[in-house]
Amino acid sequence: MRLRSWKARGSWKARSKRTLIAAALTTTIVTGTTGWAVGNEQQPLTGPPPGTQAWRADHTWGVPLPDPAATAPARVAAFFDSLSEAQQHRLAARHPSVVGNLDGAPTALRFKANSLSLKAERAREQKRESDPGLTLQDHERARSLITRYEELLSPGRQILAFDPRGRGQVAEVYGDLASARHVSVVVPGSDMDLSTFDRSKDQYGTPAGMARSLHATAGDDTAVVAWAGYTTPVGLGPDAATGRLAEAGAPRLAQFVQGLTASGAPRPAVFCHSYGSVVCGLAAPQLPASDLVVLGSPGMRADSVTDLHTSARVWAAKDDSDWIGDVPNVELFGLGHGEDPADPGFGARRVPAERAEGHTGYFAPGTDSLQAFAAIAETTAPSIPDDGTAGSAPAADARPIGERP
C-alpha cells in the first residue's frame, strides 16, 4: 500500500508540475509578462494559387491541365516534360500565377512566370495609387507594394514562388539551381512575409539574409532557396505558442520540396529557424530532405528524432544567449512545441554555436554555426561528424562539424 501511495504521489506531482509549466507558458505568451509582444491571430493561407479557376477552365490544350490542388509534383513534372518549350512558355504567359507557384514545373519557367505576375501586380497597384476613389492610406499601401515589387523584379533575382494574397509569400533562389550539386532550403520563423522577406534590419534573421549567407559560405556548388511560403505568426502571441499555423504550413513545405526534387534537384538540406522548426517537424515524414537542421527551435512537436519519422539526418543548434532557451519545452493543452531538439536526449546531432549571438545570429559571418551549416549543405556523405555533445549516429571521424578540410 505504501509503495502504491508513493507512486500515486509521484505521478500527481509530475502532473502538477506539467500543469504549472503550461500555466506559466500561457501567462508568458498571452499576457506578455516577459516583455514579448502579443501577436495578432493570423488566418493561414491555404489552397491552390491565385488563378486556379481560370487554369482549370482552360481546355485549349485538348487535355486537362494538372490540378494545382490535387496533382503530385512528380506528375506535374511529367506533364511539363510532355510539352515543347514553346508550349511551356505559352502556358506560363496565359497562367503566370499558377505556373509560378506550381510545384514540379520547370524552375526557369517558374522564374519567368513569377516575373510576369510581379509586373501584373505592380501595374495593378500603380492604378490604385492614382485612384481618386481610394483613401490616402490605400494610396500609401499601393506605393509601398510598387516599391516592393520593383525590388523583387531587380535584374538577377530568381523568384521561385510569389503569392500576393494576405501578407504575401515569396521564395527566392541564390545560386544556379539547375546545375547545383547541392541544394538547401531555409524555412523562417515568426514575422516573415513579403514585406520582411529581405529587410535590411536584423538581416540574418530573415529568410533572404540566411540564404544569402549560407550560399556565400558554401560556395557555387550549392544553391540555396529562401522559402517564405507559409503564414507565419506575428509577434510571440498565441499563434507562436500553438501549432495551428505550422499545421497549415507543413503540407505547403512538403509539396514545395517535393517539387524541387521532381524538377531534378538533389534532395536538399532544410534549415529551419525558430517557429519554422515546428513546421519542419510536422512536415518531416513527407519531406524528401537529406538533412533537417533546426536552430533556435522551440520544439518540433516530437519527443525525439525517432518520432519525426524521417530518413533525414537531424541536427540542432542553440546558442547560450538565445532567448528561446527560456521558453518551457512542453506541449500541453495545445500550448508549446515539445522537447528541445538541442537536448542530448532528443537524439539530434548537435551543431556548435558558441560564437553565435542571440536568436537570429546563427547565420552571421564568422560564426561556428554558419561554418557547420555550410559543411552540412555541401556534403552528401552518409554520415557527418557533429560536435560530440549529442548524436543519433556515430561520427565518421573525430573532427567537429565546423572543421572542414
Side-chain angles (χ1 to χ4, degrees), residues 168-186:
Q169 298 181 357
V170 63
E172 183 172 12
V173 177
Y174 299 87
D176 188 346
L177 191 56
S179 64
R181 294 176 56 206
H182 311 289
V183 173
S184 293
V185 176
V186 173

Side-chain angles (χ1 to χ4, degrees), residues 289-316:
S290 63
D291 296 85
L292 277 179
V293 188
V294 299
L295 44 140
S297 172
M300 300 181 75
R301 297 249 151 181
D303 291 333
S304 67
V305 166
T306 301
D307 289 338
L308 293 173
H309 302 290
T310 177
S311 61
R313 295 165 293 195
V314 181
W315 305 80

Side-chain angles (χ1 to χ4, degrees), residues 336-396:
H337 303 299
E339 298 298 323
D340 180 2
D343 186 278
F346 188 82
R349 301 161 182 254
R350 188 69 180 270
V351 175
E354 285 75 18
R355 295 201 295 274
E357 294 184 6
H359 189 56
T360 56
Y362 295 95
F363 282 88
T367 56
D368 47 355
S369 51
L370 176 60
Q371 290 297 317
F373 295 159
I376 294 168
E378 288 180 282
T379 184
T380 55
S383 181
I384 308 174
D386 62 19
D387 71 349
T389 61
S392 56

Side-chain angles (χ1 to χ4, degrees), residues 46-227:
T46 59
T52 294
Q53 186 174 354
W55 169 273
R56 288 169 173 161
D58 190 342
H59 302 297
T60 58
W61 303 88
V63 294
L65 300 178
D67 189 339
T71 308
R75 293 189 64 186
V76 171
F79 169 77
F80 278 94
D81 284 344
S82 71
L83 302 179
S84 67
E85 186 175 349
Q87 289 174 322
Q88 291 181 8
H89 284 278
R90 283 201 298 273
L91 198 56
R94 285 175 65 89
H95 304 283
S97 60
V98 172
V99 174
N101 293 287
L102 193 56
D103 297 310
T107 298
L109 194 66
R110 291 180 67 171
F111 293 157
K112 176 183 177 179
N114 285 316
S115 177
L116 293 173
S117 292
L118 282 162
K119 289 174 182 177
E121 286 298 315
R122 181 181 61 183
R124 190 175 79 88
E125 294 302 329
Q126 286 170 338
K127 290 180 180 179
R128 287 174 55 81
E129 182 189 18
S130 58
D131 187 339
L134 298 179
T135 66
L136 291 176
Q137 186 177 15
D138 291 332
H139 292 164
E140 183 178 346
R141 170 66 175 164
R143 283 193 292 272
S144 175
L145 286 172
I146 291 168
T147 300
R148 173 81 287 220
Y149 297 148
E150 288 177 344
E151 290 169 347
L152 293 175
L153 284 165
S154 298
R157 299 195 74 163
Q158 304 177 99
I159 306 303
L160 190 58
F162 165 65
D163 192 332
R165 296 176 298 175
R167 288 159 47 204
Q169 298 181 357
V170 63
E172 183 172 12
V173 177
Y174 299 87
D176 188 346
L177 191 56
S179 64
R181 294 176 56 206
H182 311 289
V183 173
S184 293
V185 176
V186 173
V187 181
S190 297
D191 301 308
M192 293 297 116
D193 52 34
L194 185 67
S195 65
T196 57
F197 174 79
D198 55 355
R199 68 187 180 200
S200 56
K201 180 182 178 182
D202 193 22
Q203 62 174 311
Y204 298 116
T206 69
M210 290 187 280
R212 277 196 299 259
S213 184
L214 180 59
H215 177 251
T217 306
D220 291 338
D221 280 347
T222 301
V224 185
V225 184
W227 182 80

